[in-house]
Amino acid sequence: MQLRNSLGLSLLLLTMLSGCDRLGIPDPAKDAAAKDADARATGAACRHAGRAIEDCYTLNPDASRASIYAGWKEMNDYMRENKIEIVKPEIKKAEPAAEGDASASDKTDEKK
C-alpha cells in the first residue's frame, strides 16, 4: 500500500513540475540554450553576409564568442559544400538629416 502511495505521489509531483514553464519560473538551462542558439544564428548570418568573424564579434559584444564562431564555421562549411555565394546586405543605413536642412530631404527624394 505504501509503495502505491509513494508512486502516486511521485507521479503527482512530476505532473506538477512539468508545468513550471507555464508559471513563469525561469529555467537557466533553457535560457543558456536560447542564448547559444541566438549566437550561433548570428555567426551564421555574419558568414552568409560575407562579414569577417572579427566584425561579427565587434557588432555582437554580448554574445558568446565560441557560439558565434561555431555558427560562422558551420555556415562556412555549408556554403563551401553547396557552392553558395555571399549575400551582401542591400539595405543601407539611413543617415539622419539635420533639422531645418531642406537640402537633405531633397536629396533623399531624388534617389527615389
Side-chain angles (χ1 to χ4, degrees):
M1 182 72 174
Q2 190 175 13
L3 180 63
R4 189 180 295 180
N5 286 341
S6 63
L7 182 62
L9 183 61
S10 297
L11 288 174
L12 178 65
L13 285 174
L14 284 174
T15 305
M16 290 173 59
L17 288 175
S18 67
C20 285
D21 57 341
R22 292 184 180 172
L23 298 175
I25 298 172
D27 183 3
K30 278 188 180 179
D31 293 343
K35 284 184 180 183
D36 180 63
D38 285 344
R40 282 177 174 260
T42 299
C46 283
R47 175 59 186 104
H48 193 245
R51 239 180 245 289
I53 189 72
E54 294 83 8
D55 292 342
C56 198
Y57 292 153
T58 302
L59 293 171
N60 303 285
D62 295 335
S64 163
R65 290 178 141 219
S67 297
I68 288 175
Y69 176 74
W72 193 93
K73 186 173 180 337
E74 286 172 9
M75 180 58 81
N76 184 57
D77 295 344
Y78 180 78
M79 290 174 70
R80 282 185 181 199
E81 288 172 10
N82 296 297
K83 297 180 177 104
I84 298 173
E85 297 296 321
I86 61 172
V87 177
K88 291 284 186 187
E90 293 183 16
I91 299 174
K92 305 272 186 209
K93 274 189 174 178
E95 293 186 28
E99 284 188 38
D101 187 9
S103 62
S105 62
D106 292 340
K107 289 179 185 176
T108 57
D109 290 340
E110 291 174 0
K111 290 181 183 177
K112 292 180 186 178

